[in-house]
Amino acid sequence: MAAFGVLAMVLSVCFVVEGKYIVYNTSAGVVPGKINVHLVPHTHDDVGWLKTVDQYYVGSNNSIQGACVQNVLDSLIPALLADKNRKFIYVEQAFFQRWWRQQSDEMKETVKMLVSSGQLEFINGGMCMHDEAAAHYIDMIDQTTLGHWYIKRDFNVTPRIGWQIDPFGHSAVQAYLLGAEVGFDALYFARIDYQDRAKRSAEKKLEVIWQGSKSHGSSSQIFTGAFYAGNYEPPTDFYYEVNDDSPIVQDDIELFDYNVQERVDAFVAAAYFQANVTGTNHIMWTMGTDFKYQYAHTWFRNMDKLIHYVNQDGRVSALYSSPSIYTDVKHALDESWPPKLDDYFPYADRIDGYWTGYFTSRPTSKGFIRELSGYYLAARQLEFFRGRNKSGPTTDSLADALAIVQHHDAVSGTAKQHVADDYAKRLSIGYEECPLLNISYCPATEVDLSVGKKIVVLVYNPLGWKRTSVVRIPVINKNLSVSDSTGKLILSQLLPIVNASLSMRKFYASAYTGESPSSVAKYWLAFTAVVPPLGFSTYVISSGQSSVSTKFVPNSFDTGGIEVGQGNLKLIYSGNDGKLMKYINGRNSVNVSLEQSYSYYVGSTDELQASGAYIFRPNGTHTIQSEEKIPLTVFRGPLYDEVHQRFSSWVYQTTRVYKEKEHAEVEFTVGPISIDDGNGKEIVTKLKTMIGNNKTFYTDSNGRDFLERIRDYRADWDLQVNQPIAGNYYPINLGIYIKDESTEMSVLVDRSVGGSSIIDGEVEIMLHRRLLHDDGRGVDEALNETVCALDTCTGLTVQGKYYLRLDQLGEGSKWRRSFGQEIYSPFLLAFSEQDDKWTNFPTPTFSAMDPSYSLPDNVAIITLQELQDSAVLLRLAHLYEVGEDKDLSSLATVELKRVFPHRKINKIKEMSLSANQERAEMERKRLSWKVEGSDTGHRSDSRGALVDPVKLVVELAPMEVRTFILDLDSDIVQYSTR
């Protein structure tokens, strides 16, 4: 191919154009036998980053960045109308819907015409271009579905191309679930590891067939292209915004600086350069970048000229194109493409530049997003049971807020602080406008119950199986009793709330509300709730000496061990120094040494590459421990034991061992991170065992599949190790585990974090980051979150949980999958005050499902939602991979008649994942690709059979997600929830 460059110079044609009106020929198509340059006009519009989403839309706050999406869309339409051959692609529906609402009927008809003709094409089509490391797969589905719904409603089209050009690494779930399963024919992006890119460029393997799921097999395949330059911009000197400094095409001979020949030669040279690293004779130029086309005419004027003169020159062919056209042309070549498995994490753009810090950045934001994500899932279920309120309020506001924060600069934690604040504000408003039907939802437990009042607690279970778990509620009074809905007293437990929690609550309440709490809870009241599937149980809290006070174990050290736990699980702490020593499960005979510690990495301040919001670059590690002995306090009770440890003045931990559970719950409070020594710090907790995992560990992909990771190794190239810690970090949304021939250790998390196994036998997860330097990736701000209240400003404190369990080899998946669902969908609590008279509940307990039925242990309902047209959206997900569990990695069945016993199902349609087209139509249209070295042009893998409209039984194969639109009878059996 290099020879083409020499030939190009020999065959160049000279242009002389008189200064008169010219009609540029932009009608060129594909020319066989030539290099075809597909010019793809686009803009990349971040749904918040340096400015908030609304500031970006209206064009305010331009002292930070001169960007106005409204100008882009206003300018685009007349530019497209000026030439029918011009094309443009648009992605972010969060912006487009803002613009669409403001347009006249006449303008809307014009835009519909442009969409129908193919000049304007929606690709990707979600509300945002979501992140692929820190986003949960349910959130990714929801935000994509919302955007696709708008496009279908307004234009009756379905996007067919994935366009994830800016996220910082790419997940297997994106490929097979948010790619193939939504009906995309191809997926394109810019960012892959610089070492990976170099090898693929040399071998012309930037374009591959990506099979992201070992469970789905060849049907999960999608044609995938990584851009050759590592960005989504035009080649150098082909930028045409009004204020860009690239040379325009000046073709008026009567004016100075005539440069047609120069520009054509530059175009041809750039085309041959790219063709030398691309398979086939078709290459894509991404003509645009962040917030471009604010004056679209300057771009199209110059592209018109380039197409006209380059095609007159004849050495290469130039044409207006789109990713859809490009994909169809590639497919028509009937070539075989190299295969790609696993994912594209972690991502480094250069030596020492590993983008693995953002896996944890802004951990409180990540926790808030995950908490409201689970809440939104449950709220839609309740909205369906009650009936959607036609006049509002509904769950729509929270849906919009959650969709926006899946953006790759939002949940990732890589936006400026004022933008992060804006995201939090939107979530808070969405939560407030998302009422739980007619239930009083307030922290009513902090009232004084000694004056004859009672608190009714409604405990809702959003999962499809019966659930028994301990509920913990803050209360003021000490002498309390708990009764179930029949009036029967049930066992409860009272624990004191430690001063550290009380002082933190007071500080943050003052910071965010401007006033201290009017009442102060002193105790945790705990009781065991038993709740039916997709239903609720009610409990009554009243004054009365019934709660069992927790036994306090004095803080003392001796040479013996301190045993914690009254069920199968025992944790043994050293009586000498207060450290964790051993994990014992009497049921499965697991008895292993286990140590736990906190450390911090000093964030590098190297001017060539500092640690920051995106980049993790450690410069030394230090154990966090204020004294040789860790102060240890133990509380024992009939439901669970609790261990309190203070590792330093800013690291506090509470470990709970429940009598009826076989895992440990670890609640950490980290912060304010000390920076008195002038160093930024990145805080990790480490769990150390003797498990011989031989460099191998497993992390989830967006809460779904688990992928094998091998330390200092990449399957696709020979890794040159320059960052042995940061380069081995991976995103975790569900969990991480290690194993050897006899034992496995699993750690599950309550939000997105980064983690790894840096040393055999160890697992570490990063919990918090506070850094003092920007890392040079555009945000131009140090990741130094602070909170101000009571005339004091201090670093942010994060409080969260992770969960730990050790099993015999092969037994851990059941806990990871089932309890992982409980973490994502916790009990939802609602409260109501009552007087001293016993309340006769109209509906003391409720299950939406047949009382004798529950979902199989390997299936979850991930969407149950009444749509605006009264149809019902239902998604069912198989939770296990092929071969993951000897019992549960099998075909599962769901009986819809028993899931909806109170409503007749008149009609059922199986849809694509984003519910914008029928699945049969999607499968009929999707392109099938040839793969090098295998006969996988056809799709054959295990999937559930078509649903019989009479029997209404849904089958799900391992890792399968099935989406349905149901038409149900309008008669609803009403259930009072007061």
Side-chain angles (χ1 to χ4, degrees), residues 368-369 372 398 401-402 405 423-431:
F368 191 33
I369 291 169
L372 289 188
L398 182 57
L402 277 169
V405 298
Y423 291 137
K425 180 179 179 180
R426 292 175 185 279
L427 288 170
S428 180
I429 292 171
Y431 168 77

Side-chain angles (χ1 to χ4, degrees), residues 49-50 131 134 168 354-363 366 408-417 420 603-604 609-617 682 766 769-785:
W49 179 38
L50 308 183
D131 188 57
F168 328 124
Y354 277 95
W355 298 49
T356 53
Y358 81 95
F359 300 161
T360 299
S361 294
R362 301 195 188 276
K366 286 178 165 67
H408 58 268
D409 284 307
V411 68
S412 60
T414 54
K416 282 186 177 292
Q417 183 63 56
S604 173
Q609 185 54 71
S611 210
Y614 301 91
I615 306 297
F616 174 32
R617 191 185 180 193
E682 314 189 48
M766 184 178 290
R769 315 178 74 219
R770 187 182 186 187
L771 298 162
L772 306 181
H773 292 77
D774 177 64
D775 55 17
R777 294 306 187 277
V779 75
D780 197 27
E781 190 174 274
L783 185 67
N784 183 11
E785 296 180 276

Side-chain angles (χ1 to χ4, degrees), residues 458 485 536 538 840-847 974-978:
L458 184 149
S485 57
F536 62 76
T538 50
N840 182 19
F841 300 109
T843 310
T845 184
F846 160 74
S847 176
Q974 296 284 357
Y975 293 93
S976 174
T977 52
R978 279 198 181 273

Side-chain angles (χ1 to χ4, degrees), residues 212-265:
S213 170
K214 60 177 178 287
S215 299
H216 283 241
S218 59
S219 71
S220 67
Q221 293 175 172
I222 187 167
F223 181 83
T224 303
F227 300 151
Y228 81 104
N231 59 47
Y232 44 85
E233 303 182 3
T236 303
D237 286 342
F238 289 93
Y239 296 74
Y240 297 118
E241 202 71 18
V242 169
N243 57 349
D244 283 335
D245 56 7
S246 295
I248 63 168
V249 182
Q250 205 293 82
D251 61 346
D252 188 339
I253 193 66
E254 297 181 2
L255 304 179
F256 287 176
D257 302 322
Y258 178 85
N259 66 354
V260 171
Q261 189 65 57
E262 173 195 325
R263 289 288 82 210
V264 169
D265 289 344

Side-chain angles (χ1 to χ4, degrees), residues 604-664:
S604 173
T605 60
D606 190 312
E607 62 181 16
L608 296 179
Q609 185 54 71
S611 210
Y614 301 91
I615 306 297
F616 174 32
R617 191 185 180 193
N619 182 23
T621 180
H622 302 270
T623 300
I624 300 174
Q625 188 173 330
S626 57
E627 301 174 1
E628 184 178 343
K629 297 181 179 181
I630 299 174
L632 184 75
T633 303
V634 179
F635 297 96
R636 301 190 191 278
L639 300 178
Y640 65 93
D641 290 355
E642 200 169 76
V643 180
H644 292 251
Q645 295 170 287
R646 181 172 290 282
F647 289 80
S648 77
S649 61
W650 46 276
V651 177
Y652 191 90
Q653 176 175 291
T654 303
T655 303
R656 299 183 184 95
V657 180
Y658 295 91
K659 182 178 180 180
E660 302 299 328
K661 305 293 183 180
E662 296 183 3
H663 66 266

Side-chain angles (χ1 to χ4, degrees), residues 588-613:
N588 60 15
S589 301
V590 170
N591 187 328
V592 298
S593 63
L594 174 64
E595 299 176 18
Q596 188 244 346
S597 63
Y598 286 88
S599 301
Y600 68 83
Y601 295 107
V602 175
S604 173
T605 60
D606 190 312
E607 62 181 16
L608 296 179
Q609 185 54 71
S611 210

Side-chain angles (χ1 to χ4, degrees), residues 317-334:
S317 173
L319 65 151
Y320 278 122
S321 189
S322 70
S324 295
I325 295 172
Y326 180 81
T327 300
D328 288 339
V329 170
K330 290 279 186 174
H331 182 261
L333 296 173
D334 201 29

